[in-house]
Amino acid sequence: MTMTPHIRKFALTLHVTSSVGWLGAVAVFLALAIAGLTSKDAQMVRATYLAMELSARFVIVPLCLASLLTGLISSLGTEWGLFRYYWILIKLLITILSTIGLLVHLQPIRYLAEVAAKTTLSSSDYQAQIQLVIIASAAMLALLVATTLSMYKPRGMTPYGWRKQYKKRTNS
């Protein structure tokens, strides 16, 4: 089923907005993770990890899920399709892996926020702090790759895409 032009533009607007929001939220999260790791001010570190937990739960996760859902809707409702081009499959894979990674890493984020709420972080929490910087950096890279794929749309149809294209030509 192909969407009407107005619905397609609306779906694309929702997808771009949620994806750009996700990218921006992860950039802020990375900045907070770096600040939490490098700051010598205990109050700043505590505030940083509390803010990171709130932003992850109430901003990043919803934007991540919205990006995934609107991307699926956009691809399934347009001529691009979900399985016709490799770049769309790669974007889907990046989004799914990023979503899973985010959901898995909510635990260390929550842990550091709970510790920060009760007391100051100790040297034993250093590994979790570094882990958040690494994960946020990897997420930024993944989202930038997905954005680049969206903009350049490199060639390369899947075997399914070739069959669909051939079928469309022969039925015309």
Side-chain angles (χ1 to χ4, degrees), residues 10-132:
F10 180 70
L12 182 61
T13 300
L14 289 176
H15 180 62
V16 169
T17 302
S18 59
S19 298
V20 169
W22 184 15
L23 180 65
V26 170
V28 170
F29 187 91
L30 176 59
L32 288 171
I34 292 169
L37 180 66
T38 60
S39 179
K40 302 296 181 204
D41 181 4
Q43 288 298 92
M44 170 72 106
V45 172
R46 292 178 76 190
T48 297
Y49 289 108
L50 293 171
M52 287 171 68
E53 201 261 338
L54 286 173
S55 66
R57 215 168 7 132
F58 296 113
V59 179
I60 298 174
V61 169
L63 287 171
C64 167
L65 296 174
S67 178
L68 179 60
L69 179 64
T70 58
L72 287 171
I73 290 169
S74 291
S75 65
L76 292 172
T78 63
E79 289 295 316
W80 288 104
L82 184 58
F83 302 108
R84 292 182 186 177
Y85 296 91
Y86 284 113
W87 71 269
I88 294 174
L89 287 175
I90 293 168
K91 268 190 66 177
L92 177 62
L93 181 65
I94 289 169
T95 304
I96 289 171
L97 291 175
S98 296
T99 301
I100 292 168
L102 170 61
L103 296 174
V104 166
H105 285 92
L106 285 175
Q107 186 61 34
I109 297 166
R110 187 174 296 123
Y111 166 77
L112 286 173
E114 287 172 357
V115 170
K118 295 176 185 170
T119 183
T120 57
L121 277 77
S122 67
S123 58
S124 65
D125 301 316
Y126 189 69
Q127 184 177 359
Q129 291 174 287
I130 289 178
Q131 180 183 5
L132 292 186

Side-chain angles (χ1 to χ4, degrees), residues 3-13 74 77-78:
M3 293 186 245
T4 65
H6 291 307
I7 293 173
R8 182 187 57 78
K9 285 181 183 178
F10 180 70
L12 182 61
T13 300
S74 291
T78 63

